[in-house]
Structure formats: structure tokens, C-alpha cells
Amino acid sequence: MVAGVRRSARLSSSSASSSVEPPERPAGRSRRYEPYVHTPSDDDIPRQGGISSRGQFQFMKAFMDAGFEAISWKTDRKRLAREFAPLTKLAKDIPHELHDRLNALSLSARRAGNMQVLVFEAEIRANTAEDEPRAPPIYIVNEVDEEPTPPLEFYYSNLMWHGEGVPKPDLDNLQGCDCVGPCDPTSKTCACAKRQQKFWPEGGEAFIYDRRRRLRTHQYPIFECNMNCGCSDDCQNRVVQNGRQHEIAICKTVNKGWGVFAGPKKIPADSFIGVYAGEYLTDAETEERGTIYNKFGRTYLFDLDFWYLNKSGTERETLCVDAYHAGNNHSCDPNCVINACYINEANLDKPLLTIFTSRDVDPYEELCFSYFGPIDDEDLKTKEQKKEDAVYITCQCGASNCRGTMWK
């Protein structure tokens, strides 16, 4: 769907560039995963430090006799999921104390011992430790100028922060599956498979991910299993929530500021790269910010106007994501696409914006998507259109099919 004319430069849902090679950095340490031990009988379990089913019943009875409530994962998991659901993050609570302290230091002090870079990388690890603990580390690389890191307003996070007037996550209407172990993609009873089929009826096999956990198409919303599901963490339909698997780096470019680059290994097509995280904003707040961003030449506003949200034809308020504090660069020949994804959210107006590769990405290649989106004949007619705000600069992607501008 092509978004309507906006008063400010904003990315639309039809969106997903050039390469500057940083030096090779150490690869992340490999981690060994301890396998689950499956035993043929309860008699083997105590010998491995576990509790047999007979022992479990005795323990449960003792706790119930002492006045404790007996809880079963099978019958109580949805209630437990609601009680331990992630807290809603508010935009007004985005941390800034560390950045304020660094900004108070002189540039020479921040450069001493590479302090600013080390603090920046450590903050990224701390901010993502809970939601992707096994992700390879992210390094900051600058071989262009003396700027140590991206601007200190940059706050790297995979979380979505809610602006004023944006509804909280809808957990009451969140439906989960009752599968045991990993979901079967061909299941006729899996609620998550049915939900995916509703929005991708021609998909055949139920899930939008294949057995390698790569996207089978980039044109439809992703519905992953969620906190109300009974399936295991290694389910094929849990990809985004398990975090990034590929090494990336944040590198300074010659003409385009800071960008995100692949690490020393090739990234296969249709692989998950990360979340286009930021603040959820109302349309009114988005227009106000967009006017300001346009003046000083920087904007990462992305309208949540995906085609499937407008099938009814009724007018609805469009929310927006402002990733001002973290964003990817544009290319007219992109290697990534942004896809709507739903995990612990029943409100279709509030998808996660997830970034997947659209083709194989070479080592050290910049990861970019198109701010412009697909080009049609009408767009080509407006190629020479001039606009005055600073954000409407000439495109610097360097692609052979570069159309000279980043915005419609």
C-alpha cells in the first residue's frame, strides 16, 4: 500500500545500501548449549538429579497440606504469563543519565583510553542482555574521522517505548497455542498456525518461517508464538523473540553518518537481523516531530500503515515508530526489508518492526533498507522534485539504480 502525502519525511510500511569495510573485529565467543536429557522412565530421573513423578506428587501434597496453592503449567500458564508479563515501557522513561554524564566530560576525557567506545559497547550489551543473551557482541568502528561513537543521544535497545496517548499492549485478547514441545507447522489445531494462515492463506505450510528459521516471504505479517503458548522455546515459530544470531557492527561512513554493517561472516537471505526499535507515537505527535526533524535533516519516523490494516476500508488512526535514537541507512538497492511482527501484542495497530535480509549479505557489507519503498511509474515522474528542508538531501547510497532522493 502506498502511504498518502505527508507533511514530513516519514518511512512507510512499503519500505526495507553501499558498503564501507570496517576492520575485522574478534568474532563473538561460541557458546555451548547443554542439551535436554530425555529418559525412558521415571526411575532414571532421580539418578540425574531430578524428581520422579511419584516424588513430584509427594512434594505437591506436602506444599498443599502446608497451605500453598498448587500450580500447574498446563492449566495455569496463561494466568502466570499475565502476572509476569513484561512491564510497559514509557517513552518518558528512556534512560539518559549515563549519556548526560558522558556529555559533561570533555572530548579529550571521553577519548582517553577509548573510554567512550568501551562504555557505549558495554551499554549495548547491558540493554540487550535480557532479550537476546546469546547474541554476538556489537562493536563500534570508526576509521573515517575522530568521532568516537554515534551521538550520545543514540540509545540502543530492542524494546518499544510508548509515547503519550499510545495504548498499552493488549494482553487480554492475546491467544496462544496449546502445543506441547515445538509446534508442528502442519498442525490443524495450533492456534498460532491458524492465525498465520488467516493473513497468509496461500502459505501452505502453516508458519512463515522455514525449518532453518528463515522467512519464506516478506509480504505478510509475522505471527510468532507468544507468552500464552504451551510450546517450547525451541519452537520453529519463535525467531524474533530469541534474538539476533548474526554478528553486526555500528560503523561510521564517509557520506552517510553512522550505519549498521554485517560482521566477518556472510548473512544468508531471509535471516533476522534486529528490531527497528524506538517510540510508538500518535499521528499528531509524529507530525509535530517530523516538522522539526526535517529542518535539521534527520528523521527515522516510520508509519505503521501496513496494507492488511486497511482491508476494511474504514478510517483509522495510524501510529508511528520514531527510531531517532537508532536507525539504519537508506539504499536504492537495499539488502534488507522491514516486516511487521506480532508476539506479545494482540493489537494489530502496534506491530514490531523487524529487519530481515532480502538477499545474501557479504561480510562487512552495510545493512540497508529503502526509505522510499517500491518505485512505480508515478514515482519516476517526480524524481526531480525539489524540497527545501534539510532532510531532502541528495541520496548518497552509490547504487547503480540510485534515483537521487530518499523520500517520496
Side-chain angles (χ1 to χ4, degrees), residues 78-317:
K78 293 183 180 180
R79 191 192 81 187
L80 292 171
R82 286 194 299 272
E83 290 180 1
F84 293 95
L87 297 176
T88 302
K89 298 293 184 179
L90 302 180
K92 65 182 181 65
D93 296 328
I94 295 178
H96 57 81
E97 182 179 358
L98 176 61
H99 297 174
D100 292 344
R101 289 178 178 271
L102 284 174
N103 273 321
L105 299 175
S106 66
L107 181 59
S108 59
R110 285 185 271 127
R111 286 179 178 169
N114 210 28
M115 181 189 70
Q116 183 167 324
V117 173
L118 295 176
V119 169
F120 211 92
E121 292 176 346
E123 185 189 39
I124 291 175
R125 290 193 295 273
N127 291 348
T128 59
E130 182 175 349
D131 47 271
E132 50 179 24
R134 298 182 179 87
I138 296 176
Y139 295 105
I140 309 298
V141 180
N142 184 356
E143 289 195 328
V144 174
D145 55 31
E146 298 300 316
E147 188 180 16
T149 68
L152 291 175
E153 290 75 18
F154 178 103
Y155 182 79
Y156 191 99
S157 171
N158 293 324
L159 303 177
M160 297 304 302
W161 303 79
H162 290 61
E164 186 152 351
V166 176
K168 294 182 178 181
D170 181 3
L171 304 180
D172 293 335
N173 296 307
L174 186 65
Q175 296 182 347
C177 66
D178 293 318
C179 301
V180 177
C183 293
D184 179 359
T186 62
S187 171
K188 304 299 183 184
T189 59
C190 175
C192 298
K194 291 180 178 179
R195 185 164 58 249
Q196 186 66 71
Q197 288 175 332
K198 177 182 177 182
F199 288 87
W200 189 34
E202 61 270 39
E205 192 174 291
F207 296 136
I208 204 166
Y209 299 120
D210 63 19
R211 300 280 180 179
R212 299 171 299 175
R213 291 170 170 75
R214 297 178 190 169
L215 270 186
R216 299 169 60 203
T217 178
H218 292 275
Q219 301 174 357
Y220 297 89
I222 302 166
F223 291 90
E224 290 199 359
C225 292
N226 57 61
M227 66 184 192
N228 286 341
C229 292
C231 60
S232 54
D233 288 342
D234 61 344
C235 174
Q236 176 182 333
N237 199 37
R238 296 182 185 269
V239 174
V240 170
Q241 63 197 270
N242 284 333
R244 176 176 52 84
Q245 306 296 316
H246 301 281
E247 186 173 340
I248 60 175
I250 299 172
C251 306
K252 187 67 178 289
T253 68
V254 175
N255 297 318
K256 301 188 299 177
W258 292 87
V260 180
F261 288 72
K265 296 182 180 179
K266 176 185 287 188
I267 302 178
D270 309 316
S271 298
F272 173 62
I273 295 298
V275 177
Y276 192 82
E279 302 175 56
Y280 284 124
L281 302 178
T282 61
D283 193 67
E285 175 67 18
T286 301
E287 290 293 349
E288 184 176 334
R289 290 194 190 186
T291 302
I292 298 173
Y293 290 171
N294 285 5
K295 297 300 181 185
F296 64 79
R298 182 180 176 186
T299 184
Y300 294 107
L301 297 171
F302 193 111
D303 287 329
L304 302 180
D305 57 353
F306 293 93
W307 62 267
Y308 60 88
L309 295 175
N310 299 284
K311 291 184 70 174
S312 63
T314 57
E315 188 73 20
R316 59 195 302 157
E317 181 179 2

Side-chain angles (χ1 to χ4, degrees), residues 396-407:
Q396 301 289 327
C397 74
S400 58
N401 64 336
C402 179
R403 63 185 311 279
T405 181
M406 297 183 293
W407 307 101

